[in-house]
Amino acid sequence: MEARALLRFFFILITALLLLHLFTRSWLHLISDKADLLNCSNYSPWCTSKNRFQPKSNNLLLNNPEKSRTKTTQNHKTQIPHHPLDPLTIQEINKARTILLSYAPFSSSSSFTVHSLVLEEPEKTLVLNWKKGDPLLPRQASIIALLNGQSHLITVDLQSNKVIHHEITKPKSGYPTMTIEDMNSATWAPLYDPNFNRTIINRGVDLADLACLPISTGWFGIKEEKRRLIKVQCYTMQGTVNFYMRPIEGLTVLLDMDTKEVVEISDLGLEIPIPKASDTDYRFSKQNKPLQMRVLNPISIEQPKGPSFVIEDGHLVKWANWEFHLKPDPRAGVIISKAMVRDSESGVLRNVMYKGLTSELFVPYMDPTDAWYFKTYMDAGEYGFGLQAMPLDPLNDCPRYARYMDGVFTASDGTPFVRSNMICVFESYGGDIGWRHAESPITGMEIREVRPKVSLVVRMAASVANYDYIVDWEFQTDGLFRIKVGLSGILMVKGTPYDNMDKVPGHEKLYGTLLSENVIGVIHDHYITFYLDMDVDGSDNSFVKVNLVREETSPEESPRRSYLRADRHVAKTEKDAQIKLKLYEPSEFHVINPSKQTRVGNPVGYKVVPGGTAASLLDHQDPPQRRGAFTNNQIWVTPYNRSEQWAGGLFVYQSQGEDTLAVWSERDRPIENKDIVLWYTLGFHHIPCQEDFPIMPTVSSSFDLKPVNFFESNPILRMPPNLEKDLPVCKAADSV
Amino acid sequence: MEARALLRFFFILITALLLLHLFTRSWLHLISDKADLLNCSNYSPWCTSKNRFQPKSNNLLLNNPEKSRTKTTQNHKTQIPHHPLDPLTIQEINKARTILLSYAPFSSSSSFTVHSLVLEEPEKTLVLNWKKGDPLLPRQASIIALLNGQSHLITVDLQSNKVIHHEITKPKSGYPTMTIEDMNSATWAPLYDPNFNRTIINRGVDLADLACLPISTGWFGIKEEKRRLIKVQCYTMQGTVNFYMRPIEGLTVLLDMDTKEVVEISDLGLEIPIPKASDTDYRFSKQNKPLQMRVLNPISIEQPKGPSFVIEDGHLVKWANWEFHLKPDPRAGVIISKAMVRDSESGVLRNVMYKGLTSELFVPYMDPTDAWYFKTYMDAGEYGFGLQAMPLDPLNDCPRYARYMDGVFTASDGTPFVRSNMICVFESYGGDIGWRHAESPITGMEIREVRPKVSLVVRMAASVANYDYIVDWEFQTDGLFRIKVGLSGILMVKGTPYDNMDKVPGHEKLYGTLLSENVIGVIHDHYITFYLDMDVDGSDNSFVKVNLVREETSPEESPRRSYLRADRHVAKTEKDAQIKLKLYEPSEFHVINPSKQTRVGNPVGYKVVPGGTAASLLDHQDPPQRRGAFTNNQIWVTPYNRSEQWAGGLFVYQSQGEDTLAVWSERDRPIENKDIVLWYTLGFHHIPCQEDFPIMPTVSSSFDLKPVNFFESNPILRMPPNLEKDLPVCKAADSV
């Protein structure tokens, strides 16, 4: 090596190390602020992931409830499974890892990464027949590992300590969900590239202020195939923790996720200034302007006798007339299983749903330019919706009497870690009315009967980088359950040269709303697709469209010319159940049990009550829409198939859309009187507005599953009203 | 008169008197049960209406707060108005009545009836300019009275004690809202008709068990014109207070409302048995079967420091950043006026809405047969949505810390009465999240900021005979307000010979669902149309459709084929703003102030966020749909016009639809940069199910008015989180 080259090498090396040091210091400073939030006593991924700032401390892998600010009481180290659907325990994960590490080719390689290590659920029929007191069904772990660019699907039996299934999957496309370590490393890997660093400095950003985000690439043709790629975009943290509002616009780094090599740097936004830091920090401690409203007195949902639900054996929730199994999942977030409701006449527990979960998300941004076109996130399959669900904030994320459940997940080296307080369960009462009737002055009868509405909420909140998704499963005593998604957090914004709309040339496309000086909130959609394996009084169900149709009367038949008639159509095959909702062609959508009728002969059922509907309008041949084709309809029904759970496919990352719900449904299999799965997609079109800056007030939408001739009559007829004598006696905190 | 005729006359007379005695006794028995609910100390219409059971006792027209079970503290006798929009006081109503009684032709006639006597609101500009401390604007009363079949529209000036406007309205069709006395008398007038009584006895019903309902006739052609008609249908109370479930099917009495003459009896359902009484009573005291669920522990929204809102001078509500005027209205129920929100930066109160109210309802049943075709209720204009709003049940209709407001209304003789606790105002917290963000493991920054969502609810519940409508106006600190309608109460059902679906011949139309033996819940729609006089930062506003349209990229432009573009269209005239919502043609609908921009140049605005949408599918030429033509679109915008407030017309009863919103809008007046009114219709299709028997669990829908570039940024950025130290300290009631 000649002297000049050597000199240049040293210069680059020293610069890189210096910058790395600065960068590290900056992150560490932030981390040390509130060390109990993500500390190692809670087994945070921060500790167990292979990040470069903190050593992995296995001896800290004990839960420390005293230090926990919340009500986690689980001792994960000694936890054992009680139910066939209970998630893998710490011990089981360690065991599975040990078996894997002694199994070729993993025994001879240290370069594999574990992308998923979860319970392999027993066959549905076995679970349905299992009763408490029976011996636990065989425990198995399902592992997805990546080795030399190949995805391995492995099943490990935890009794026999053996690998009982091993498949090197050869899908046409797609990689497993990223690990936290994949995402972390993508944020700092570009710093090893001098060209990248020069680019940053060229933008006037101090490398110590740099914050970068790993952005899934989607798939846009052959150029990006055959290796795991990710795009990295960066921001400056200078002057704010809300770096999302300070993009280095137009700079996109294409990175090989496995080699950490920078493949390409696109640097197109040189003329675009970085938006200002002022008024972007959202932390309460940093607010120094007046609130400009009357301060609210303390308000709280109080239950001095405690909540009315129990969580038996860690996962079995029993409340009012409901029972269900609840568990965290790294991909879906929350899984509700074996949801049953007690019959209001017989008292017998009746099946409603075998399994319900968030199957996939699809979040396409509406900007076709270089730094934006690929932003078409599929958050569950790419990032792990559960992996991104952070510990909930007691008293703010959930009310006072909430109970919390931890997630036990797996780091990329196969070691377990605990995501504390990932799910909360609480009873909600906001003043709503369950049912009421007062006799009117017309009849004059002195009757006024009112019942308050109390519900049970299961909540998680996933923070997929900037955005926060609040997912609620809300159960009502009348048998209805509601699935609600709230959107909050921080917009993904775009830098612009403009600081006022009057400076934007008429022909110029902004692709969004000018939110603040030099900040555009780009238009985007959110689709959240739910998997709902309905088992209404048994597994074999049918899907019925009840269409409301205008019927014209014949002359002389009636003084009325028209009325609405309800026509029932039982869907025979999958294509009969691909539903695009139409306001002017209204329908109800029932999942019924054709073998069971009520006393007066109606088939028992549940109906899906649409809400929060937005339809994807993208071209069906657009690569993102091919991958997100599960949003082509709002409702789908498929026959139960163990392998069809993830609407965007098992391997979503860089997938080409050949394994989606839309593809499965195209087979048009019979669905009448079969074990069927209902799929529903909640949609949001989001045109940002200034109120979304610098952090968004929550916007929510929901849909319902509602009993329809499931009960013989109103199941909450006998609910007692509130009586003054039963309500708590409270004092203000400062008067005690 | 010959002897036989005389004998027959006496027989009929004695029978009638005997039956009347029995009937009276039965009602009185029910009334005496809980005498404080509708007692005369609360000036109930029961006392002041000209009913036959209780004498009108003017000396009881004093409020008696000690006897009141709720928090009413108003002394109505001494109440004086403080704000130009305050409703008429007892004294003012009495004064207006006195003036009317000394004014010809009313001074010389005792046969007129007062159908409305309310404040004539001052001109909008005067109200907008009025400030607290200014002299009160002149007080005037607007009276609608019926005399000899003619509607008189009268304005009385309460300062000069003069009638200042008198118009004998000659609309092509339509009568004023029924009085409570009209409705009451219709329920017993048929009993004076021996043929009616014979018909009842022939159905096997004891007249002492009879309960009849007054059903508006709608309008179906010339046959029913030129007099005020009503249809009466009856039920038996034998064995249940829920007589609605025991129809004497097919029996319809056409009654002249003024002469009380039975015009026609249609008796077509002789083969249909009266459904059984068992399991229909919904009162808690009558339930004797087990609840079949785990009993819920007491749960309550607690505010030991009291609620955070005040109601100044009886009607001005101040909470958080909101201020608005609130009053009860006999027709609309709740009227919200001069709603203003405080700017989060400047602290200045900014106008949002001048007036909001429930303008009309339309409830067509979907059965064209003789006893059902005419059931096409317009509850506000026919029955009085406020008149039907009964006293709310503390702790069950509204949470513990609610405050109540009474309605001061007018009986048909012009005397005032008080509907106590007609509206409640309370703060709601059900565990929802105002905004949140947690940093994810990707960035690793230790940030978790969450704000709970607390809102302010204004509620009333109207019991229009069987049905209960719960109307909520819910205000959020982020500037959004939500209008929510809950449907509960009791179905209007139809008798049928069938007790099981397997006995129904395949060709036979049921027009609904078999809910129980011999009971059909008939399919029907509910439309609730809201009048929203938006004044966003001033009266002159524009309506903007922001259409999301698919844009296809050109070749080589982008790896993406398509994205969504937002196109703004300012509506020039009314027809531009007649909106039928379409899922596949999505839009946002903004009311903006074109003269005011944010700092970065966006027009300030509010958007209506549709929800609870169902479209009426009836033939537009069907008589009910002509009358309910205001439901032909989901959104309309009209220029402000003082006389256009009631979407179905001022005189809705038996109207033919020539004075509806649809007719006004057809004029296609300019609406750009004008004082405009937004109309939104919430819709429900209701196919009843067995769970709705014998009383319906509440079904709710809502729509939102949401700031869109109204604030410079998130207006609740500086809200504090909940802290443990501020929350109340509570004990169980039985542990104190």
Side-chain angles (χ1 to χ4, degrees):
Chain A
M1 200 182 277
E2 65 168 279
R4 201 174 141 191
L6 192 68
L7 196 63
R8 198 170 63 191
F9 172 77
F10 275 110
F11 173 76
I12 291 171
L13 185 70
I14 287 164
T15 307
L17 288 173
L18 185 69
L19 294 172
L20 184 60
H21 169 74
L22 285 167
F23 185 59
T24 305
R25 208 168 49 111
S26 147
W27 283 104
L28 277 177
H29 171 71
L30 287 160
I31 293 151
S32 61
D33 253 15
K34 270 165 91 183
D36 60 336
L37 187 63
L38 281 172
N39 72 2
C40 292
S41 70
N42 287 334
Y43 316 84
S44 94
W46 197 249
C47 313
T48 54
S49 67
K50 289 170 181 144
N51 70 67
R52 69 203 185 288
F53 302 132
Q54 296 189 10
K56 187 169 66 179
S57 318
N58 271 317
N59 60 343
L60 285 172
L61 276 177
L62 297 175
N63 200 20
N64 186 343
E66 293 93 307
K67 286 191 76 175
S68 168
R69 290 161 55 191
T70 52
K71 299 192 170 77
T72 298
T73 53
Q74 295 138 280
N75 184 340
H76 294 286
K77 209 184 169 194
T78 58
Q79 203 165 25
I80 54 164
H82 296 88
H83 187 284
L85 298 176
D86 280 355
L88 295 179
T89 62
I90 295 245
Q91 291 181 340
E92 289 177 322
I93 292 172
N94 280 326
K95 195 170 183 183
R97 179 174 180 264
T98 306
I99 298 167
L100 186 73
L101 288 176
S102 63
Y103 174 77
F106 303 96
S107 51
S108 58
S109 169
S110 62
S111 68
F112 70 93
T113 47
V114 173
H115 289 253
S116 175
L117 196 167
V118 295
L119 177 74
E120 174 81 16
E121 291 190 0
E123 291 293 336
K124 184 170 170 179
T125 47
L126 297 177
V127 176
L128 286 171
N129 289 327
W130 184 87
K131 277 178 246 33
K132 186 164 178 174
D134 289 354
L136 203 61
L137 298 173
R139 301 285 287 175
Q140 301 180 345
S142 170
I143 303 173
I144 296 174
L146 204 62
L147 175 63
N148 301 328
Q150 285 184 310
S151 299
H152 295 250
L153 208 52
I154 294 151
T155 308
V156 170
D157 184 272
L158 298 174
Q159 274 68 41
S160 62
N161 295 341
K162 282 191 180 141
V163 170
I164 57 172
H165 179 82
H166 178 199
E167 186 184 345
I168 301 175
T169 65
K170 293 202 200 311
K172 190 170 153 237
S173 66
Y175 293 104
T177 305
M178 287 185 281
T179 63
I180 299 273
E181 295 79 357
D182 281 332
M183 304 175 220
N184 279 341
S185 64
T187 66
W188 53 261
L191 282 161
Y192 287 99
D193 185 289
N195 287 327
F196 172 78
N197 294 348
R198 262 197 295 272
T199 307
I200 297 299
I201 292 162
N202 188 36
R203 291 288 194 116
V205 174
D206 192 330
L207 285 171
D209 291 327
L210 203 65
C212 299
L213 292 181
I215 301 176
S216 53
T217 53
W219 161 76
F220 292 90
I222 197 156
K223 188 178 134 202
E224 295 168 354
E225 291 172 21
K226 308 256 183 249
R227 54 178 171 174
R228 283 209 309 151
L229 294 168
I230 192 156
K231 288 190 170 169
V232 181
Q233 295 189 330
C234 302
Y235 302 79
T236 173
M237 293 192 293
Q238 192 269 317
T240 182
V241 293
N242 192 352
F243 60 84
Y244 304 102
M245 293 299 119
R246 307 204 69 194
I248 302 171
E249 190 55 49
L251 174 64
T252 309
V253 177
L254 181 66
L255 189 80
D256 184 306
M257 245 196 292
D258 293 308
T259 64
K260 318 291 180 214
E261 171 206 354
V262 169
V263 178
E264 195 178 283
I265 297 177
S266 179
D267 189 14
L268 297 176
L270 286 164
E271 77 290 1
I272 301 174
I274 292 174
K276 63 188 163 62
S278 60
D279 298 324
T280 61
D281 201 326
Y282 50 88
R283 289 173 299 174
F284 186 64
S285 59
K286 303 296 174 186
Q287 305 305 316
N288 47 27
K289 292 184 186 171
L291 177 60
Q292 302 293 9
M293 66 176 78
R294 303 163 76 93
V295 173
L296 302 183
N297 289 341
I299 183 167
S300 176
I301 301 174
E302 289 297 323
Q303 300 178 277
K305 293 195 171 177
S308 319
F309 64 88
V310 294
I311 306 182
E312 282 182 9
D313 297 334
H315 294 282
L316 200 64
V317 181
K318 298 185 176 183
W319 173 77
N321 44 354
W322 282 99
E323 282 195 28
F324 55 87
H325 186 273
L326 168 66
K327 66 174 164 187
D329 181 79
R331 181 160 180 171
V334 164
I335 295 181
I336 307 275
S337 299
K338 287 199 76 178
M340 296 185 285
V341 67
R342 204 169 289 282
D343 189 80
S344 52
E345 297 302 315
S346 67
V348 170
L349 273 174
R350 297 170 61 188
N351 288 314
V352 175
M353 183 176 73
Y354 182 71
K355 195 174 188 181
L357 53 86
T358 308
S359 177
E360 192 51 273
L361 292 90
F362 178 46
V363 188
Y365 282 71
M366 301 303 173
D367 181 336
T369 61
D370 181 76
W372 282 81
Y373 75 88
F374 54 88
K375 292 177 184 169
T376 55
Y377 303 98
M378 294 169 75
D379 290 317
E382 291 178 340
Y383 292 86
F385 206 43
L387 278 184
Q388 307 302 331
M390 300 303 292
L392 294 161
D393 182 14
L395 301 187
N396 290 295
D397 269 323
C398 317
R400 195 177 213 170
Y401 288 86
R403 295 288 175 265
Y404 294 84
M405 190 180 288
D406 300 345
V408 176
F409 298 153
T410 308
S412 66
D413 62 356
T415 56
F417 67 88
V418 174
R419 175 65 46 75
S420 63
N421 296 347
M422 180 192 141
I423 297 176
C424 72
V425 182
F426 63 90
E427 280 169 291
S428 171
Y429 168 62
D432 278 341
I433 297 170
W435 60 258
R436 86 180 307 281
H437 182 61
E439 279 295 314
S440 78
I442 304 171
T443 67
M445 293 164 78
E446 300 216 357
I447 292 179
R448 183 177 57 186
E449 293 277 340
V450 191
R451 303 294 177 272
K453 179 185 281 185
V454 177
S455 60
L456 183 81
V457 179
V458 173
R459 174 172 294 168
M460 62 159 256
S463 300
V464 191
N466 53 314
Y467 245 99
D468 289 55
Y469 292 91
I470 303 154
V471 181
D472 286 358
W473 293 75
E474 183 171 7
F475 296 84
Q476 297 184 180
T477 52
D478 61 6
L480 180 148
F481 61 103
R482 173 167 295 172
I483 300 166
K484 185 163 88 170
V485 175
L487 308 178
S488 188
I490 299 169
L491 284 173
M492 177 146 278
V493 304
K494 178 173 180 163
T496 174
Y498 306 113
D499 60 3
N500 195 295
M501 284 302 291
D502 62 15
K503 296 182 185 161
V504 182
H507 63 276
E508 186 153 330
K509 291 174 179 167
L510 289 189
Y511 307 108
T513 308
L514 190 67
L515 300 180
S516 174
E517 286 79 4
N518 310 111
V519 178
I520 289 171
V522 175
I523 298 171
H524 57 282
D525 289 345
H526 297 265
Y527 299 98
I528 305 102
T529 298
F530 289 88
Y531 169 98
L532 304 158
D533 179 2
M534 302 299 289
D535 275 16
V536 178
D537 271 330
S539 289
D540 285 349
N541 288 174
S542 293
F543 181 70
V544 181
K545 288 178 283 185
V546 182
N547 300 332
L548 278 169
V549 185
R550 178 165 69 202
E551 173 97 7
E552 304 274 346
T553 57
S554 50
E556 307 303 312
E557 179 186 349
S558 168
R560 281 275 282 275
R561 287 197 186 205
S562 61
Y563 63 98
L564 299 191
R565 193 185 73 214
D567 285 352
R568 295 174 67 88
H569 296 282
V570 178
K572 303 287 180 194
T573 63
E574 289 177 285
K575 287 191 182 176
D576 291 341
Q578 295 179 351
I579 307 289
K580 290 183 175 66
L581 297 170
K582 288 174 187 157
L583 186 65
Y584 280 86
E585 293 173 27
S587 299
E588 289 192 353
F589 307 99
H590 297 196
V591 175
I592 62 155
N593 187 323
S595 313
K596 193 170 170 215
Q597 279 86 40
T598 59
R599 196 180 69 240
V600 297
N602 293 305
V604 301
Y606 259 71
K607 65 177 176 183
V608 57
V609 185
T613 48
S616 181
L617 303 179
L618 295 180
D619 189 321
H620 280 202
Q621 293 312 314
D622 204 348
Q625 192 62 35
R626 280 172 62 176
R627 303 177 67 231
F630 52 89
T631 64
N632 289 354
N633 298 295
Q634 287 81 54
I635 296 174
W636 314 69
V637 178
T638 57
Y640 173 81
N641 182 332
R642 201 177 156 79
S643 72
E644 296 175 2
Q645 181 168 285
W646 308 109
L650 180 63
F651 297 108
V652 165
Y653 200 90
Q654 282 178 276
S655 69
Q656 299 174 23
E658 76 276 18
D659 183 30
T660 70
L661 170 56
V663 172
W664 312 331
S665 172
E666 202 57 25
R667 284 187 273 163
D668 206 20
R669 294 160 289 186
I671 55 170
E672 186 180 5
N673 203 7
K674 301 271 181 205
D675 189 0
I676 54 178
V677 175
L678 176 73
W679 306 77
Y680 185 81
T681 297
L682 271 180
F684 302 74
H685 296 299
H686 191 171
I687 304 175
C689 59
Q690 287 184 235
E691 286 79 1
D692 296 333
F693 179 91
I695 193 161
M696 294 180 284
T698 310
V699 171
S700 296
S701 268
S702 63
F703 68 101
D704 297 341
L705 277 299
K706 188 175 189 293
V708 56
N709 306 315
F710 181 82
F711 296 106
E712 291 291 346
S713 58
N714 181 337
I716 50 169
L717 183 66
R718 298 171 207 139
M719 289 280 286
N722 269 343
L723 296 175
E724 179 87 39
K725 71 174 180 58
D726 296 326
L727 295 185
V729 178
C730 301
K731 288 179 182 168
D734 55 15
S735 73
V736 180
Chain B
M1 198 181 276
E2 65 166 280
R4 202 174 142 192
L6 191 70
L7 196 66
R8 197 169 66 194
F9 172 77
F10 274 111
F11 174 76
I12 290 170
L13 185 71
I14 288 164
T15 306
L17 287 173
L18 184 70
L19 296 172
L20 184 60
H21 168 74
L22 285 167
F23 185 60
T24 306
R25 212 167 48 111
S26 145
W27 283 102
L28 278 176
H29 172 71
L30 287 161
I31 294 151
S32 59
D33 253 17
K34 269 165 91 185
D36 60 335
L37 187 64
L38 282 172
N39 72 5
C40 292
S41 69
N42 286 334
Y43 316 85
S44 93
W46 196 249
C47 313
T48 54
S49 67
K50 288 171 182 145
N51 70 65
R52 69 202 186 287
F53 303 132
Q54 295 189 11
K56 188 169 66 184
S57 320
N58 271 317
N59 61 341
L60 286 171
L61 277 177
L62 300 174
N63 200 21
N64 186 344
E66 293 92 309
K67 286 192 74 175
S68 168
R69 289 163 54 193
T70 51
K71 297 192 171 76
T72 299
T73 52
Q74 296 139 281
N75 182 341
H76 293 286
K77 207 184 167 191
T78 58
Q79 203 165 23
I80 54 165
H82 296 88
H83 188 285
L85 298 176
D86 280 355
L88 296 179
T89 63
I90 295 247
Q91 291 179 341
E92 288 177 322
I93 292 173
N94 279 326
K95 196 171 182 183
R97 179 175 180 262
T98 305
I99 298 166
L100 185 72
L101 287 176
S102 62
Y103 173 76
F106 302 96
S107 51
S108 58
S109 170
S110 63
S111 68
F112 72 91
T113 46
V114 174
H115 289 253
S116 174
L117 196 167
V118 296
L119 176 75
E120 174 79 16
E121 291 189 359
E123 291 293 335
K124 182 169 171 179
T125 46
L126 298 176
V127 177
L128 285 171
N129 289 326
W130 183 88
K131 278 180 245 27
K132 187 166 178 171
D134 289 354
L136 201 63
L137 297 173
R139 299 286 286 176
Q140 300 179 345
S142 170
I143 303 173
I144 296 174
L146 203 61
L147 175 63
N148 302 328
Q150 286 183 309
S151 299
H152 294 250
L153 209 51
I154 294 152
T155 310
V156 171
D157 185 90
L158 298 173
Q159 275 67 42
S160 62
N161 294 341
K162 280 191 181 140
V163 170
I164 57 171
H165 179 82
H166 178 198
E167 187 185 343
I168 301 176
T169 64
K170 293 202 199 313
K172 188 168 155 241
S173 67
Y175 293 103
T177 305
M178 287 184 279
T179 63
I180 299 273
E181 295 80 357
D182 281 332
M183 303 175 221
N184 279 340
S185 64
T187 65
W188 52 262
L191 281 162
Y192 287 99
D193 185 288
N195 287 327
F196 172 77
N197 294 348
R198 261 197 296 273
T199 307
I200 298 300
I201 292 163
N202 188 35
R203 291 289 193 117
V205 173
D206 191 331
L207 286 170
D209 291 328
L210 203 66
C212 299
L213 291 180
I215 300 175
S216 54
T217 54
W219 162 76
F220 291 90
I222 197 157
K223 189 178 134 201
E224 294 168 355
E225 292 173 17
K226 309 263 184 237
R227 54 178 170 174
R228 282 210 309 150
L229 294 169
I230 192 154
K231 288 189 171 169
V232 181
Q233 294 189 331
C234 302
Y235 302 79
T236 175
M237 293 192 292
Q238 193 269 317
T240 183
V241 294
N242 191 352
F243 60 85
Y244 303 103
M245 292 300 121
R246 306 204 69 196
I248 303 171
E249 189 55 47
L251 173 64
T252 309
V253 178
L254 182 65
L255 188 80
D256 185 306
M257 245 197 292
D258 293 308
T259 65
K260 319 292 181 213
E261 173 206 353
V262 170
V263 178
E264 195 178 285
I265 297 177
S266 180
D267 188 15
L268 296 176
L270 286 165
E271 78 289 0
I272 302 175
I274 292 174
K276 62 187 164 64
S278 59
D279 298 325
T280 61
D281 199 328
Y282 50 87
R283 290 173 298 175
F284 186 63
S285 59
K286 303 296 174 186
Q287 305 305 317
N288 47 27
K289 292 184 186 171
L291 177 61
Q292 303 292 8
M293 66 176 78
R294 301 163 78 94
V295 173
L296 302 183
N297 289 342
I299 182 166
S300 175
I301 302 175
E302 289 296 322
Q303 301 178 276
K305 293 194 170 177
S308 319
F309 62 90
V310 293
I311 306 182
E312 281 183 9
D313 297 335
H315 295 281
L316 201 64
V317 181
K318 298 184 176 182
W319 173 78
N321 44 355
W322 282 99
E323 284 196 24
F324 55 88
H325 186 273
L326 169 64
K327 66 175 163 186
D329 181 77
R331 181 160 179 170
V334 164
I335 296 182
I336 307 276
S337 299
K338 289 198 76 179
M340 297 184 286
V341 68
R342 204 170 288 283
D343 188 81
S344 52
E345 296 302 315
S346 68
V348 171
L349 272 174
R350 296 169 63 186
N351 289 314
V352 175
M353 180 176 75
Y354 182 70
K355 195 174 187 179
L357 53 86
T358 309
S359 178
E360 193 50 274
L361 293 91
F362 178 45
V363 188
Y365 281 71
M366 301 302 174
D367 181 337
T369 60
D370 181 76
W372 282 82
Y373 75 89
F374 53 88
K375 291 176 186 171
T376 55
Y377 303 97
M378 295 169 75
D379 290 318
E382 292 178 340
Y383 291 86
F385 206 44
L387 279 184
Q388 308 302 330
M390 301 303 295
L392 294 161
D393 181 16
L395 301 189
N396 290 295
D397 270 322
C398 318
R400 194 176 213 170
Y401 287 86
R403 295 288 175 262
Y404 293 83
M405 190 179 286
D406 299 344
V408 176
F409 297 152
T410 308
S412 66
D413 63 356
T415 56
F417 67 86
V418 174
R419 175 65 48 76
S420 62
N421 296 347
M422 181 191 139
I423 297 174
C424 73
V425 182
F426 64 89
E427 281 169 290
S428 171
Y429 169 62
D432 277 342
I433 296 170
W435 60 259
R436 86 179 307 281
H437 182 61
E439 280 294 316
S440 77
I442 304 172
T443 66
M445 293 165 76
E446 300 217 359
I447 293 180
R448 182 177 58 184
E449 293 276 340
V450 192
R451 302 296 177 269
K453 177 185 280 184
V454 178
S455 59
L456 184 79
V457 179
V458 172
R459 174 173 294 167
M460 61 160 257
S463 301
V464 193
N466 51 314
Y467 246 98
D468 290 53
Y469 292 91
I470 303 154
V471 181
D472 285 358
W473 292 75
E474 183 170 9
F475 296 84
Q476 296 185 180
T477 52
D478 60 6
L480 180 149
F481 61 104
R482 173 166 296 172
I483 300 167
K484 184 164 88 169
V485 175
L487 308 179
S488 188
I490 299 168
L491 284 173
M492 177 147 277
V493 303
K494 179 174 179 164
T496 174
Y498 305 113
D499 61 3
N500 195 294
M501 284 302 290
D502 61 17
K503 297 182 185 160
V504 182
H507 63 276
E508 187 154 328
K509 293 174 178 166
L510 289 189
Y511 307 108
T513 308
L514 190 67
L515 300 180
S516 174
E517 287 78 4
N518 309 110
V519 177
I520 289 171
V522 175
I523 298 170
H524 56 282
D525 289 347
H526 296 266
Y527 299 99
I528 305 102
T529 298
F530 289 88
Y531 170 99
L532 303 159
D533 179 2
M534 301 299 289
D535 274 17
V536 178
D537 271 331
S539 290
D540 286 350
N541 288 173
S542 292
F543 180 72
V544 182
K545 288 177 285 187
V546 183
N547 300 331
L548 278 170
V549 184
R550 178 166 70 204
E551 174 97 6
E552 303 275 346
T553 57
S554 50
E556 306 303 313
E557 178 187 351
S558 168
R560 280 277 281 276
R561 289 199 186 203
S562 61
Y563 63 98
L564 298 193
R565 190 185 77 212
D567 285 353
R568 296 173 66 89
H569 296 281
V570 178
K572 302 288 180 193
T573 63
E574 288 176 284
K575 288 191 183 177
D576 290 341
Q578 296 177 351
I579 308 289
K580 290 183 177 64
L581 297 170
K582 287 173 188 157
L583 185 66
Y584 280 86
E585 294 174 24
S587 300
E588 289 193 355
F589 307 99
H590 296 195
V591 175
I592 62 154
N593 187 323
S595 313
K596 192 170 171 215
Q597 277 87 41
T598 58
R599 194 180 72 241
V600 297
N602 292 305
V604 300
Y606 259 71
K607 66 177 175 181
V608 56
V609 185
T613 48
S616 182
L617 303 179
L618 295 181
D619 189 321
H620 281 204
Q621 293 312 312
D622 204 348
Q625 192 61 36
R626 281 173 62 177
R627 304 177 68 230
F630 52 88
T631 62
N632 289 354
N633 297 295
Q634 287 81 54
I635 296 174
W636 314 70
V637 178
T638 57
Y640 173 80
N641 181 332
R642 201 178 156 76
S643 71
E644 295 174 3
Q645 182 166 283
W646 308 109
L650 180 62
F651 297 108
V652 164
Y653 200 89
Q654 282 179 274
S655 69
Q656 298 173 24
E658 75 275 17
D659 183 31
T660 69
L661 169 56
V663 173
W664 314 330
S665 172
E666 203 57 24
R667 283 187 274 164
D668 207 20
R669 295 161 289 187
I671 54 170
E672 186 180 5
N673 202 7
K674 302 273 183 202
D675 189 358
I676 54 176
V677 175
L678 175 73
W679 306 77
Y680 185 81
T681 297
L682 271 182
F684 301 76
H685 296 299
H686 191 170
I687 303 175
C689 59
Q690 287 183 234
E691 285 80 1
D692 296 334
F693 179 93
I695 193 161
M696 294 180 284
T698 308
V699 171
S700 295
S701 269
S702 64
F703 68 101
D704 297 342
L705 278 300
K706 187 173 190 292
V708 55
N709 304 316
F710 181 83
F711 297 106
E712 291 291 347
S713 57
N714 182 338
I716 50 169
L717 182 65
R718 298 171 206 137
M719 289 280 285
N722 270 342
L723 296 176
E724 179 87 38
K725 70 175 181 56
D726 296 325
L727 293 186
V729 177
C730 300
K731 289 179 181 167
D734 55 14
S735 72
V736 180

